Amino acid sequence: MLFVVTAVVVVALVFDFTNGFHDSANAMAGPIATGALRPRTAVVLAAVLNVVGACLSTEVAKTISNGFFDERLVSPSIILAGLVGAIVWNLLTWLLGLPSSSSHALFGGLIGAVVVGAGFGSVHGWVVVSKVLLPALVAPLVAGLAAALATRLTYRVLGRTPKTEAAAGFRYGQAFTASLVALAHGTSDGQKTMGVITLVLVTAGLQQADTGPQWWVVIAAGLAIGLGTYSGGWRIMRTMGRGIVEIETPQGAASGAATTATILASSHLGFGLSTTHVSTGAILGSGVGREGAEVRWGVARRMVYAWLLTLPAAGLVGGLAALLADLGLAGVIVLLVLLAVACLVIFVLSRRHRVDRDNVTDSAEVMVFAGATGRALRPTDDTHTAPDHTRSGV
Amino acid sequence: MPHVDWTALLVVALVSVVASVVFAGLLAGGIRALVAARAATASGAPTTGALSLGYGLLALAALTVLYGLYLIVPQLH
């Protein structure tokens, strides 16, 4: 039992790490793409603000299941299986540079694991529709509309003010709104992992029910999401910063404002919107709002597919993982080994078309097939000979 | 079938749009006024009006941000 609990805690921290690097781009893709912040500065800032955000709010989400299923069904091995589903899906979408929701991955994985453990009847379908699918549809639309109108107004107000002279001011504006997004992200997603770990400790009888997270859980989860954010998730950063639409600083400031406003308004009124959906919707909307900006709808469509797939796909992996985890200790060990292998394979695949902080804004494509690598884009590129420790491949 | 709070959803949408537009407008207005003030300095024209307008608008924009910060820290309310 203790082994399983330890495994869940470690795997939960791994999930928190993937959550950090998956969502780093939500805040920082814009300012990095426009040059308002240098890549390293941006991720350090985002990491610090994520940790601060995670520690700010001590009000842990009382239920990680949000009422999708009966929490009495939850056992450490089901949580483990759910986390495995979430991690694998997060890594796969990262490999493809697709900004998908980490929260959906977590919910999907848990739901899949619960279905396998306790049958379809144990999941409340309507709650899933009203709390996940509906917000997922509404979030990008609202944020997109807000960003489009804010962008339009920004350019209208600027009038014939020379763009180059206004750019300095907007760089501050963009960096500022991006920082707020990072902070808001920490308060919501940092809390999620703390909630998961606390739930496991409670179900294992190591902690009293109805008590807050232990201090080491707060610190470990804060550090995991901060480290993940610091490592950047450059592949997703590239898609969001360059892939969807070319971002100018005034437009970036407007889309950051829209992202922040939408997240704050919704969480204040009790709707848990996905930061990822809000942020991509806002970037897309800011492209629609600026005249002459070319929105790449093909990329947007692929993202929507990834969003729709996230819940069932993570659920599938979570369900399969639950089959293994149900077999007892041996099954759990096999599951952990498989997870490690999956992470390794995806990591090795990602090295083939590496995206890091040095080449993140060079191109709009994440997966460059047919042998054209970053080398073709930058003749002086020394990526392939540089020692690994100087670069983060994540 | 649980109840979907459509009113709250609508309020979220409205608040998001209005807050974004207000912030963007203040920021753009402030920056425009400051750029104009700098141009006026260069040509020797009086700048006090444009300067105070610019900083005033930016201060208002900063206030909206502070309010947002206040909202996400539960200890403050």
Side-chain angles (χ1 to χ4, degrees), chain A residues 9 13 16 60 190-191 193-199 201 207 212-224:
Chain A
V9 171
L13 291 175
D16 213 12
V60 185
Q191 292 290 306
T193 305
M194 292 178 205
V196 171
I197 296 178
T198 304
L199 185 67
L201 294 177
Q207 186 177 338
Q214 317 253 8
W215 62 269
W216 61 267
V217 175
V218 177
I219 291 177
L223 282 181

mmCIF file of all heavy atoms in Angstrom, chain A residues 9 13 16 60 190-191 193-199 201 207 212-224:
data_model
loop_
_atom_site.group_PDB
_atom_site.id
_atom_site.type_symbol
_atom_site.label_atom_id
_atom_site.label_comp_id
_atom_site.label_asym_id
_atom_site.label_seq_id
_atom_site.Cartn_x
_atom_site.Cartn_y
_atom_site.Cartn_z
ATOM 1 N N VAL A 9 2.137 9.584 -5.549
ATOM 2 C CA VAL A 9 2.664 10.924 -5.261
ATOM 3 C C VAL A 9 3.692 11.319 -6.316
ATOM 4 O O VAL A 9 3.640 12.415 -6.889
ATOM 5 C CB VAL A 9 3.280 10.980 -3.843
ATOM 6 C CG1 VAL A 9 4.016 12.296 -3.638
ATOM 7 C CG2 VAL A 9 2.188 10.810 -2.798
ATOM 8 N N LEU A 13 3.353 14.230 -9.249
ATOM 9 C CA LEU A 13 4.307 15.323 -9.445
ATOM 10 C C LEU A 13 4.798 15.358 -10.894
ATOM 11 O O LEU A 13 4.999 16.431 -11.464
ATOM 12 C CB LEU A 13 5.486 15.181 -8.475
ATOM 13 C CG LEU A 13 5.110 15.423 -7.006
ATOM 14 C CD1 LEU A 13 6.298 15.155 -6.097
ATOM 15 C CD2 LEU A 13 4.577 16.833 -6.802
ATOM 16 N N ASP A 16 2.188 17.037 -12.773
ATOM 17 C CA ASP A 16 2.256 18.473 -12.503
ATOM 18 C C ASP A 16 3.325 19.124 -13.378
ATOM 19 O O ASP A 16 3.143 20.224 -13.902
ATOM 20 C CB ASP A 16 2.590 18.699 -11.025
ATOM 21 C CG ASP A 16 1.930 19.959 -10.486
ATOM 22 O OD1 ASP A 16 1.052 20.499 -11.182
ATOM 23 O OD2 ASP A 16 2.290 20.387 -9.389
ATOM 24 N N VAL A 60 -7.875 24.608 -1.301
ATOM 25 C CA VAL A 60 -7.738 23.490 -2.233
ATOM 26 C C VAL A 60 -9.099 23.087 -2.791
ATOM 27 O O VAL A 60 -10.087 23.099 -2.068
ATOM 28 C CB VAL A 60 -7.115 22.274 -1.529
ATOM 29 C CG1 VAL A 60 -6.873 21.156 -2.530
ATOM 30 C CG2 VAL A 60 -5.859 22.657 -0.826
ATOM 31 N N GLY A 190 -1.935 24.600 -10.182
ATOM 32 C CA GLY A 190 -1.047 24.175 -9.106
ATOM 33 C C GLY A 190 -1.843 23.482 -8.012
ATOM 34 O O GLY A 190 -1.408 22.492 -7.418
ATOM 35 N N GLN A 191 -3.047 23.989 -7.794
ATOM 36 C CA GLN A 191 -3.916 23.431 -6.766
ATOM 37 C C GLN A 191 -4.392 22.022 -7.088
ATOM 38 O O GLN A 191 -4.624 21.225 -6.199
ATOM 39 C CB GLN A 191 -5.151 24.323 -6.617
ATOM 40 C CG GLN A 191 -4.838 25.667 -6.052
ATOM 41 C CD GLN A 191 -4.447 25.537 -4.605
ATOM 42 O OE1 GLN A 191 -5.171 24.974 -3.809
ATOM 43 N NE2 GLN A 191 -3.275 26.016 -4.277
ATOM 44 N N THR A 193 -2.966 19.394 -8.534
ATOM 45 C CA THR A 193 -2.103 18.293 -8.115
ATOM 46 C C THR A 193 -2.066 18.167 -6.607
ATOM 47 O O THR A 193 -2.060 17.056 -6.061
ATOM 48 C CB THR A 193 -0.688 18.488 -8.677
ATOM 49 O OG1 THR A 193 -0.794 18.639 -10.077
ATOM 50 C CG2 THR A 193 0.192 17.314 -8.358
ATOM 51 N N MET A 194 -2.054 19.305 -5.919
ATOM 52 C CA MET A 194 -2.106 19.238 -4.450
ATOM 53 C C MET A 194 -3.352 18.490 -4.015
ATOM 54 O O MET A 194 -3.317 17.674 -3.094
ATOM 55 C CB MET A 194 -2.141 20.645 -3.860
ATOM 56 C CG MET A 194 -0.864 21.418 -4.051
ATOM 57 S SD MET A 194 -1.073 23.069 -3.357
ATOM 58 C CE MET A 194 0.137 23.973 -4.296
ATOM 59 N N GLY A 195 -4.463 18.771 -4.695
ATOM 60 C CA GLY A 195 -5.712 18.099 -4.369
ATOM 61 C C GLY A 195 -5.609 16.598 -4.582
ATOM 62 O O GLY A 195 -6.057 15.807 -3.748
ATOM 63 N N VAL A 196 -5.000 16.202 -5.718
ATOM 64 C CA VAL A 196 -4.866 14.779 -6.027
ATOM 65 C C VAL A 196 -4.044 14.074 -4.957
ATOM 66 O O VAL A 196 -4.446 13.035 -4.414
ATOM 67 C CB VAL A 196 -4.204 14.587 -7.416
ATOM 68 C CG1 VAL A 196 -3.848 13.119 -7.643
ATOM 69 C CG2 VAL A 196 -5.119 15.081 -8.508
ATOM 70 N N ILE A 197 -2.887 14.659 -4.620
ATOM 71 C CA ILE A 197 -2.003 14.014 -3.637
ATOM 72 C C ILE A 197 -2.696 13.935 -2.279
ATOM 73 O O ILE A 197 -2.661 12.896 -1.601
ATOM 74 C CB ILE A 197 -0.665 14.775 -3.527
ATOM 75 C CG1 ILE A 197 0.074 14.698 -4.870
ATOM 76 C CG2 ILE A 197 0.200 14.196 -2.424
ATOM 77 C CD1 ILE A 197 1.375 15.446 -4.904
ATOM 78 N N THR A 198 -3.359 15.018 -1.895
ATOM 79 C CA THR A 198 -4.049 15.026 -0.609
ATOM 80 C C THR A 198 -5.131 13.944 -0.568
ATOM 81 O O THR A 198 -5.268 13.211 0.415
ATOM 82 C CB THR A 198 -4.676 16.402 -0.346
ATOM 83 O OG1 THR A 198 -3.645 17.383 -0.426
ATOM 84 C CG2 THR A 198 -5.317 16.463 1.013
ATOM 85 N N LEU A 199 -5.860 13.826 -1.681
ATOM 86 C CA LEU A 199 -6.913 12.809 -1.742
ATOM 87 C C LEU A 199 -6.328 11.410 -1.543
ATOM 88 O O LEU A 199 -6.888 10.575 -0.828
ATOM 89 C CB LEU A 199 -7.634 12.895 -3.088
ATOM 90 C CG LEU A 199 -8.825 11.974 -3.251
ATOM 91 C CD1 LEU A 199 -9.937 12.384 -2.316
ATOM 92 C CD2 LEU A 199 -9.314 11.958 -4.680
ATOM 93 N N LEU A 201 -3.541 10.617 0.005
ATOM 94 C CA LEU A 201 -3.107 10.450 1.401
ATOM 95 C C LEU A 201 -4.308 10.184 2.299
ATOM 96 O O LEU A 201 -4.243 9.372 3.220
ATOM 97 C CB LEU A 201 -2.354 11.700 1.870
ATOM 98 C CG LEU A 201 -1.015 11.952 1.166
ATOM 99 C CD1 LEU A 201 -0.386 13.244 1.639
ATOM 100 C CD2 LEU A 201 -0.058 10.786 1.410
ATOM 101 N N GLN A 207 -3.745 10.595 6.234
ATOM 102 C CA GLN A 207 -4.089 11.963 6.579
ATOM 103 C C GLN A 207 -5.565 12.006 6.930
ATOM 104 O O GLN A 207 -6.379 11.274 6.364
ATOM 105 C CB GLN A 207 -3.799 12.881 5.374
ATOM 106 C CG GLN A 207 -3.986 14.353 5.671
ATOM 107 C CD GLN A 207 -3.609 15.209 4.465
ATOM 108 O OE1 GLN A 207 -2.863 14.793 3.588
ATOM 109 N NE2 GLN A 207 -4.132 16.416 4.415
ATOM 110 N N GLY A 212 -6.368 20.252 5.105
ATOM 111 C CA GLY A 212 -5.709 20.852 3.959
ATOM 112 C C GLY A 212 -4.472 20.065 3.560
ATOM 113 O O GLY A 212 -4.099 19.104 4.234
ATOM 114 N N PRO A 213 -3.824 20.444 2.458
ATOM 115 C CA PRO A 213 -2.612 19.747 2.025
ATOM 116 C C PRO A 213 -1.465 19.975 3.007
ATOM 117 O O PRO A 213 -1.363 21.026 3.624
ATOM 118 C CB PRO A 213 -2.302 20.381 0.666
ATOM 119 C CG PRO A 213 -2.996 21.695 0.682
ATOM 120 C CD PRO A 213 -4.193 21.535 1.548
ATOM 121 N N GLN A 214 -0.631 18.939 3.154
ATOM 122 C CA GLN A 214 0.559 19.060 4.007
ATOM 123 C C GLN A 214 1.516 20.067 3.382
ATOM 124 O O GLN A 214 1.509 20.274 2.180
ATOM 125 C CB GLN A 214 1.273 17.702 4.084
ATOM 126 C CG GLN A 214 0.326 16.546 4.265
ATOM 127 C CD GLN A 214 0.393 15.980 5.652
ATOM 128 O OE1 GLN A 214 1.038 16.551 6.518
ATOM 129 N NE2 GLN A 214 -0.278 14.869 5.870
ATOM 130 N N TRP A 215 2.389 20.629 4.225
ATOM 131 C CA TRP A 215 3.289 21.663 3.709
ATOM 132 C C TRP A 215 4.202 21.125 2.619
ATOM 133 O O TRP A 215 4.472 21.793 1.634
ATOM 134 C CB TRP A 215 4.103 22.284 4.849
ATOM 135 C CG TRP A 215 4.984 21.311 5.564
ATOM 136 C CD1 TRP A 215 4.662 20.573 6.659
ATOM 137 C CD2 TRP A 215 6.313 20.953 5.206
ATOM 138 N NE1 TRP A 215 5.713 19.767 7.006
ATOM 139 C CE2 TRP A 215 6.744 19.981 6.149
ATOM 140 C CE3 TRP A 215 7.198 21.351 4.193
ATOM 141 C CZ2 TRP A 215 8.000 19.401 6.094
ATOM 142 C CZ3 TRP A 215 8.460 20.775 4.143
ATOM 143 C CH2 TRP A 215 8.858 19.810 5.084
ATOM 144 N N TRP A 216 4.650 19.857 2.772
ATOM 145 C CA TRP A 216 5.569 19.335 1.754
ATOM 146 C C TRP A 216 4.843 19.104 0.429
ATOM 147 O O TRP A 216 5.446 19.152 -0.639
ATOM 148 C CB TRP A 216 6.269 18.065 2.232
ATOM 149 C CG TRP A 216 5.354 16.900 2.562
ATOM 150 C CD1 TRP A 216 4.843 16.585 3.779
ATOM 151 C CD2 TRP A 216 4.848 15.923 1.648
ATOM 152 N NE1 TRP A 216 4.052 15.470 3.695
ATOM 153 C CE2 TRP A 216 4.043 15.040 2.397
ATOM 154 C CE3 TRP A 216 5.012 15.698 0.279
ATOM 155 C CZ2 TRP A 216 3.387 13.963 1.821
ATOM 156 C CZ3 TRP A 216 4.358 14.619 -0.300
ATOM 157 C CH2 TRP A 216 3.547 13.759 0.475
ATOM 158 N N VAL A 217 3.514 18.856 0.501
ATOM 159 C CA VAL A 217 2.758 18.688 -0.747
ATOM 160 C C VAL A 217 2.688 20.014 -1.489
ATOM 161 O O VAL A 217 2.900 20.079 -2.703
ATOM 162 C CB VAL A 217 1.339 18.153 -0.448
ATOM 163 C CG1 VAL A 217 0.511 18.086 -1.720
ATOM 164 C CG2 VAL A 217 1.405 16.799 0.227
ATOM 165 N N VAL A 218 2.430 21.090 -0.730
ATOM 166 C CA VAL A 218 2.363 22.419 -1.342
ATOM 167 C C VAL A 218 3.691 22.756 -2.015
ATOM 168 O O VAL A 218 3.742 23.175 -3.181
ATOM 169 C CB VAL A 218 2.025 23.497 -0.285
ATOM 170 C CG1 VAL A 218 2.031 24.881 -0.901
ATOM 171 C CG2 VAL A 218 0.680 23.200 0.357
ATOM 172 N N ILE A 219 4.791 22.521 -1.276
ATOM 173 C CA ILE A 219 6.104 22.874 -1.819
ATOM 174 C C ILE A 219 6.450 22.009 -3.024
ATOM 175 O O ILE A 219 6.874 22.510 -4.078
ATOM 176 C CB ILE A 219 7.177 22.736 -0.722
ATOM 177 C CG1 ILE A 219 6.961 23.819 0.334
ATOM 178 C CG2 ILE A 219 8.576 22.835 -1.315
ATOM 179 C CD1 ILE A 219 7.902 23.745 1.492
ATOM 180 N N ALA A 220 6.245 20.687 -2.900
ATOM 181 C CA ALA A 220 6.609 19.787 -3.996
ATOM 182 C C ALA A 220 5.786 20.089 -5.246
ATOM 183 O O ALA A 220 6.324 20.176 -6.360
ATOM 184 C CB ALA A 220 6.413 18.329 -3.564
ATOM 185 N N ALA A 221 4.476 20.286 -5.072
ATOM 186 C CA ALA A 221 3.627 20.546 -6.235
ATOM 187 C C ALA A 221 3.976 21.898 -6.860
ATOM 188 O O ALA A 221 4.040 22.037 -8.089
ATOM 189 C CB ALA A 221 2.153 20.507 -5.830
ATOM 190 N N GLY A 222 4.231 22.897 -5.991
ATOM 191 C CA GLY A 222 4.615 24.203 -6.516
ATOM 192 C C GLY A 222 5.895 24.117 -7.327
ATOM 193 O O GLY A 222 5.998 24.661 -8.429
ATOM 194 N N LEU A 223 6.875 23.374 -6.791
ATOM 195 C CA LEU A 223 8.147 23.241 -7.495
ATOM 196 C C LEU A 223 7.978 22.483 -8.802
ATOM 197 O O LEU A 223 8.572 22.838 -9.823
ATOM 198 C CB LEU A 223 9.167 22.514 -6.608
ATOM 199 C CG LEU A 223 9.814 23.366 -5.523
ATOM 200 C CD1 LEU A 223 10.819 22.542 -4.734
ATOM 201 C CD2 LEU A 223 10.506 24.577 -6.163
ATOM 202 N N ALA A 224 7.161 21.423 -8.790
ATOM 203 C CA ALA A 224 6.991 20.608 -9.997
ATOM 204 C C ALA A 224 6.382 21.433 -11.119
ATOM 205 O O ALA A 224 6.869 21.410 -12.258
ATOM 206 C CB ALA A 224 6.118 19.389 -9.697
#
